[in-house]
Amino acid sequence: MRRNPLSSLFHAHPGRVLSAVHHLQLEQLEDRTVPSIMDGTILVATCPSTFSYQDQSSFPTGIVGVNPSTGAQARISAGGLFSLPTYIEEAPDQGLYVTDLTAFGTGALIRVDPNTGQQGLVAHGGYINGPNAFAFINGCIYVANEGDGSGAVHNLVRINPSTGQQSLITSGGGFTVPTGLAAAPDDNVYVADEPGGYASSDPGGVWEVDVHTGQQTEIAHGGLIDHPVDIAVDPSGNLVVINTGSPLDNVTGSVVRINPQTGVQTLVTSFGPYSGTDSGAVSRDGSTIFVGAIANGSNPGQIIAVNALTGGQTLLGSGGGLSEVEGIRVFNALVQTGATTTVLSSSANPSLFGQSVTFTATISPQTPSTGTPTGSVQFQIDGNNIGSPVEVRTTAGVTTACISISNLGVGNHPITALYSGDSRFTSSSGTLAGYQSVTGGTGNNVTATLDPFTGFLRISGDVCNNVITITQGAVGSLQVAGLGTTVNQSVNPVSFSPVTGLTITLLNGNDSVTLSQFSLPGNITITAGSGADVLSLDTVLANALSLTTAGPGKDTISLSNTSSSSLTVTAGDNASVALNGVSSSSIKLTAGSNALLSVLDTTSASDLSITLGDNAQGVTVK
C-alpha cells in the first residue's frame, strides 16, 4: 500500500496476483446487497488490508456504508472496476466518485450510483497516475496524484466529470506526496502532504493550491502535524488534519485543528500506538470528526467518532466489512428541502467615492428548517454579475458570503445577492434596502460628485496642481483619471454614468484638464484659478462650451475638432488660445494682455467675437 505508513511495522499478508484480485472483486459485485442509503451514513472506501495478522482476503474491495447510530454495515458497491479505492466524494446529484490508486495499472476515477451500486469509469491514463485524493468544486473534480508514493510524481489535475477531460493545474514543487484534499475558499484546494512517508524525518504539512494559477502556498508544517494522511474542513472554516504518527512516537495517530488564517494548531485528540489512522471526515454540523483506522496487527478496521469539542472518542464500527479503511465520507441524502432567506447588508451606506464597501449576504433557514446551508452567492451591482460566485461560510452558526468593492461610481446602485441553494436548501435572493449610495469622492486634491437625478458631474480641485483626464467609456459614461493618487493621476480611470453635463472648478494652482473624444447632451463648463493652467479639448461635442482661466500665469487653452451650439473662452493675461477645426453657432473669445491667438478652420454660424488686451503677441485667423 503506497500511502499507508505501517507496511514495515507489521507482517503483510502474502501478496495476491492481480488476476486473482479481479476475480474476487467480480464475485463480490455479483453478491452485493444495495441498501437505501440514509442521510448521515458513513461511506468507507476499503479493501483487504495487507497489514493485519488475520486473513483479510474475504473482505470486500469497494464501498461500505456504516450507520452512524447503530454501527450496522451494508455493502454499497464492490468488485468490478475497483482495485485499491482510496477516496470518496459525493457530487451535487448524490452520485459517488471514487479514486482508485491502482485500477488500470496507474489508477482511475470511478463513479458509483448510490442506489444501484453500478460503477462507471470517468477517467484514467493521461495525467492520472496514482490518484490518491480529490475534491468536488464548482462542478469540477480536482485530483491529487502521488504516482508510486516516492514523490517523483505529484500533481493536481482538473477533470470534467461529464466528459472525463483532464487539465493539469500544477506539477512539481510544493507538496510531494498528497494524502488528502479539501475545498478551500475562492475555489482553491487544501492538500495534506506526507513527503517521504511515515518514517521520513519530514513530518509533513498542509498546502493551499490556487486552482486558477497553480500557485502552491504552505499553510502549516510540523508542529502538531505528524505525517498527515487526510484533511477536512469544519463548518467554521478550520482545517481538521488526520495524522498517522511516526516511529518516534510508536505511530500514534492524532487529530489536529488548524486555523488557516493564523496557522495556529490545536490538538483535538490522540490515539494509541500503532493506531492505524488513515482517513477522516467532519459531520455537517461540525460536532463530530469521524476517523478511519486500517486493520493492522491484531486490530480490526475501525470507525471512531471523535467529539470535536472535547476530543472524546467513541467506537462507531469495527470489523465486519472494514479492513483497509482508506477514505471515509458522510453521505448527504436528499431530504425535504428547506426554504431560506437571504438578507443583504452594506458596511457603509452612504459611502464616499473610492471608499471600499463590503456587502454581506446572510443566508438563514426558515423555520422549521434546520441545518447549515452550503453553496454560493452571486453578487450583482446595477443588474450585472460582479466577479464569480462566492462560497458561503458558516461561523458560530451564521452562514454568510461577502464581497468588497472600491470602484463604485458616484450615484445610487441597486445591489442584489443570489444564493444558489444546495441539496437541502432552496435558493433565495436578497436586495439591499434602497440603494448603495455613493455621494461623492475625494482624491488627494480632487472631489467628484455626480447628481444621479440630473446627470451633472461636478469636479472640483484645491490649490494644488490638479491634473484631470476625462474620456468616454461608453455612450453617456465618462471615465475620469486623476483621482486618489499622490500626484493626482490614477492609471485606472473611474467611471461615472449616466452623465449629461460636466462642470469643473479648479482653484489656484498649475492645473491641467484634458477632455478627449466624447459627447454630452448638456453643457461643459471649466473654470480655473490663477496659475499656469492647461485646458485641452479634442473631439468633444456638447450643447454649450464655456472655458475660463484667470491668469496671470501663462494659461494654454486648446480646442480641436469640437462642436457646440455656443463657445465661450475667457483667458487672463499672457494666455495662449488655439482653435482648430471648431464648429459652433456662436463663438466668443476674450483674452487679456500679451495674448497669443490662433483660429484655424473654425466655423461660426452666426457670431464670431474676438476681444484681446494690449500687446497681443500674435493673432492668426483663417
Side-chain angles (χ1 to χ4, degrees):
M1 172 58 198
R2 296 176 188 174
R3 78 176 195 149
N4 196 284
L6 303 175
S7 55
S8 64
L9 299 180
F10 303 106
H11 299 292
H13 187 73
R16 299 159 291 158
V17 297
L18 189 60
S19 61
V21 173
H22 280 199
H23 177 68
L24 171 65
Q25 291 170 342
L26 289 173
E27 289 180 344
Q28 291 171 336
L29 178 63
E30 291 170 354
D31 65 7
R32 61 171 171 76
T33 57
V34 182
S36 175
I37 305 178
M38 74 172 192
D39 186 53
T41 294
I42 310 301
L43 302 176
V44 182
T46 186
C47 65
S49 171
T50 59
F51 312 118
S52 173
Y53 294 154
Q54 310 298 322
D55 181 6
Q56 304 285 297
S57 60
S58 62
F59 282 73
T61 297
I63 304 175
V64 172
V66 179
N67 186 305
S69 300
T70 67
Q73 301 178 20
R75 194 176 305 182
I76 307 301
S77 181
L81 301 176
F82 289 132
S83 173
L84 207 167
T86 57
Y87 227 68
I88 303 174
E89 288 288 353
E90 182 181 349
D93 64 357
Q94 292 197 294
L96 304 180
Y97 286 79
V98 183
T99 45
D100 192 293
L101 201 65
T102 59
F104 299 93
T106 57
L109 178 66
I110 299 167
R111 178 182 168 92
V112 175
D113 187 318
N115 298 312
T116 66
Q118 182 177 357
Q119 305 168 14
L121 178 64
V122 178
H124 76 103
Y127 294 117
I128 301 299
N129 188 348
N132 199 24
F134 71 105
F136 231 111
I137 301 175
N138 274 350
C140 293
I141 295 174
Y142 292 86
V143 177
N145 291 278
E146 66 163 26
D148 61 3
S150 66
V153 174
H154 47 104
N155 61 29
L156 183 69
V157 178
R158 180 192 294 116
I159 298 179
N160 184 317
S162 301
T163 65
Q165 181 179 358
Q166 304 179 24
S167 303
L168 183 64
I169 301 301
T170 187
S171 178
F175 64 84
T176 58
V177 181
T179 55
L181 217 66
D186 301 321
D187 299 339
N188 296 334
V189 294
Y190 295 118
V191 180
D193 182 29
E194 188 190 19
Y198 86 102
S200 169
S201 59
D202 190 331
V206 175
W207 296 77
E208 182 174 0
V209 181
D210 187 321
V211 300
H212 305 290
T213 66
Q215 180 179 352
Q216 304 179 32
T217 303
E218 191 171 45
I219 293 178
H221 184 269
L224 296 175
I225 295 178
D226 190 9
H227 301 277
V229 287
D230 206 353
I231 188 171
V233 180
D234 69 18
S236 297
N238 292 314
L239 308 182
V240 176
V241 177
I242 311 299
N243 295 302
T244 198
S246 70
L248 296 178
D249 57 17
N250 295 320
V251 200
T252 298
S254 63
V255 178
V256 173
R257 182 183 294 111
I258 301 176
N259 184 314
Q261 279 75 45
T262 64
V264 172
Q265 304 180 20
T266 305
L267 181 65
V268 177
T269 195
S270 180
F271 306 97
Y274 309 110
S275 50
T277 52
D278 201 35
S279 56
V282 179
S283 64
R284 276 197 300 268
D285 62 5
S287 64
T288 305
I289 302 169
F290 300 103
V291 178
I294 66 172
N296 62 86
S298 58
N299 298 325
Q302 295 179 336
I303 301 294
I304 301 167
V306 176
N307 185 301
L309 183 63
T310 66
Q313 302 174 19
T314 302
L315 183 62
L316 185 62
S318 178
L322 306 178
S323 184
E324 185 98 50
V325 184
E326 275 296 298
I328 61 177
R329 283 295 178 269
V330 180
F331 185 74
N332 295 323
L334 288 175
V335 297
Q336 183 177 4
T337 303
T340 62
T341 57
T342 297
V343 177
L344 188 58
S345 61
S346 169
S347 61
N349 194 12
S351 61
L352 292 174
F353 172 76
Q355 178 182 356
S356 179
V357 180
T358 298
F359 299 108
T360 301
T362 302
I363 296 90
S364 305
Q366 291 186 13
T367 305
S369 300
T370 60
T372 302
T374 60
S376 62
V377 171
Q378 176 65 66
F379 289 91
Q380 292 184 338
I381 298 178
D382 298 327
N384 301 313
N385 290 345
I386 299 299
S388 301
V390 179
E391 294 294 315
V392 302
R393 286 188 172 187
T394 300
T395 303
V398 179
T399 301
T400 60
C402 302
I403 189 171
S404 296
I405 300 293
S406 60
N407 61 349
L408 283 177
V410 175
N412 294 325
H413 302 273
I415 313 295
T416 303
L418 306 175
Y419 168 57
S420 65
D422 59 19
S423 61
R424 301 185 66 219
F425 293 100
T426 60
S427 60
S428 58
S429 64
T431 300
L432 187 66
Y435 298 92
Q436 176 64 36
S437 178
V438 182
T439 58
T442 302
N444 285 337
N445 40 355
V446 172
T447 299
T449 304
L450 178 68
D451 187 326
F453 301 103
T454 65
F456 269 85
L457 175 63
R458 291 177 172 82
I459 299 175
S460 61
D462 58 14
V463 295
C464 297
N465 299 330
N466 302 292
V467 181
I468 302 169
T469 301
I470 302 178
T471 56
Q472 179 172 276
V475 176
S477 173
L478 294 187
Q479 292 183 326
V480 181
L483 300 179
T485 65
T486 301
V487 297
N488 199 38
Q489 294 189 66
S490 171
V491 295
N492 297 315
V494 179
S495 292
F496 294 84
S497 177
V499 179
T500 59
L502 173 64
T503 299
I504 301 175
T505 304
L506 305 172
L507 301 180
N508 300 338
N510 298 325
D511 301 314
S512 173
V513 177
T514 301
L515 278 59
S516 177
Q517 298 188 3
F518 66 84
S519 62
L520 294 179
N523 302 336
I524 296 177
T525 302
I526 303 175
T527 304
S530 61
D533 303 311
V534 178
L535 308 183
S536 176
L537 281 69
D538 179 21
T539 316
V540 173
L541 172 64
N543 178 53
L545 287 172
S546 177
L547 287 71
T548 302
T549 60
K554 188 177 180 179
D555 298 321
T556 300
I557 300 176
S558 173
L559 290 85
S560 59
N561 303 315
T562 62
S563 180
S564 62
S565 62
S566 67
L567 169 63
T568 301
V569 177
T570 304
D573 296 339
N574 308 312
S576 174
V577 180
L579 278 63
N580 189 351
V582 174
S583 175
S584 179
S585 298
S586 172
I587 299 177
K588 182 177 181 180
L589 305 179
T590 303
S593 60
N594 305 315
L596 178 63
L597 177 66
S598 174
V599 180
L600 303 175
D601 193 22
T602 294
T603 301
S604 176
S606 57
D607 298 328
L608 172 58
S609 172
I610 300 177
T611 303
L612 302 177
D614 297 335
N615 304 317
Q617 299 299 306
V619 179
T620 302
V621 180
K622 292 184 179 180

